[in-house]
Amino acid sequence: TQRLRPGLQSHPLTYQGQSAHRLSLPHGDTVLVASQGAQVLSWMAQGRERLFLSPKSHWDGRAIRGGVPVCWPQFNQRGSLPKHGLARLATWQLVQTEGNASAAQLVFEWRDSDDTRAVWPQAFVARLTVALSEGSLQVTLAVHNTDSQPLTFTGALHTYLAVDDIALVDLQGLGGLQEWNAVADSVAVAEDPLYFDGEFDRVYDVTHAPRCLRLQ
């Protein structure tokens, strides 16, 4: 379905040889989403690109490096499926476009198939909503279990944010939480703020984390 007010633009296009959809608001903010993986490739806000997209991506059906990959139904290699699961390599369908002059959204859907059940015997419907408003992008993954068996999964919206200089960036809001350093394979308590002065790959228990983290 498509319900757009005058002034909004949503259209399919080809990006790097792949099917994609761009949504544009009247004030200039835009979002670009690939059909492969329903992966957000670009988010322009206030005239600046906010996401990092690697120039080393191959655009040949392999995983796209950067943007907002959907890692589902498995995060990393913590399970029997290929790394980061199946969603980021699948073709998603655009099923809904709606909005007004101040906010709009694209909704993508992916269902189980013979191919997915061959490696993961589970029936499901996954929906990714990409909601754009002035200075804001919200990406939401919802999964419906259409099977008779329980649905167990892990996942992530693995966002790559663009920064001008990583040495000048800090992240606030994770201080005091348990932190697993995957590089050193060690566990500690996170400092606040966090700084990035070398290889950084860490996992946090965010059960009690604030709803909002600040990267500046």
Side-chain angles (χ1 to χ4, degrees), residues 22-55:
R22 176 177 282 118
L23 181 64
S24 303
L25 297 181
H27 61 260
D29 284 12
T30 67
V31 64
L32 176 67
V33 187
S35 297
Q36 178 182 322
Q39 186 161 335
V40 178
L41 304 178
S42 170
W43 168 36
M44 294 290 297
Q46 300 172 339
R48 293 182 57 190
E49 176 59 64
R50 305 294 175 164
L51 299 177
F52 171 79
L53 188 62
S54 174

Side-chain angles (χ1 to χ4, degrees), residues 128-147:
L128 192 83
T129 301
V130 181
L132 180 68
S133 58
E134 186 171 2
S136 174
L137 180 70
Q138 292 186 325
V139 183
T140 305
L141 175 64
V143 180
H144 177 52
N145 183 8
T146 58
D147 213 324

Side-chain angles (χ1 to χ4, degrees), residues 83-107:
K83 184 178 181 180
H84 288 325
L86 309 173
R88 64 181 183 156
L89 301 179
T91 299
W92 294 56
Q93 302 300 319
L94 179 65
V95 296
Q96 184 177 325
T97 306
E98 62 180 3
N100 53 44
S102 60
Q105 66 180 27
L106 303 172
V107 180

Side-chain angles (χ1 to χ4, degrees), residues 4 21 26 33 52 81 92 96 106 114 161 166 178 185 214:
L4 289 178
H21 299 268
V33 187
F52 171 79
L81 295 175
W92 294 56
Q96 184 177 325
L106 303 172
D114 290 343
L161 296 173
I166 191 64
Q178 180 173 299
D185 192 19
R214 182 180 180 87

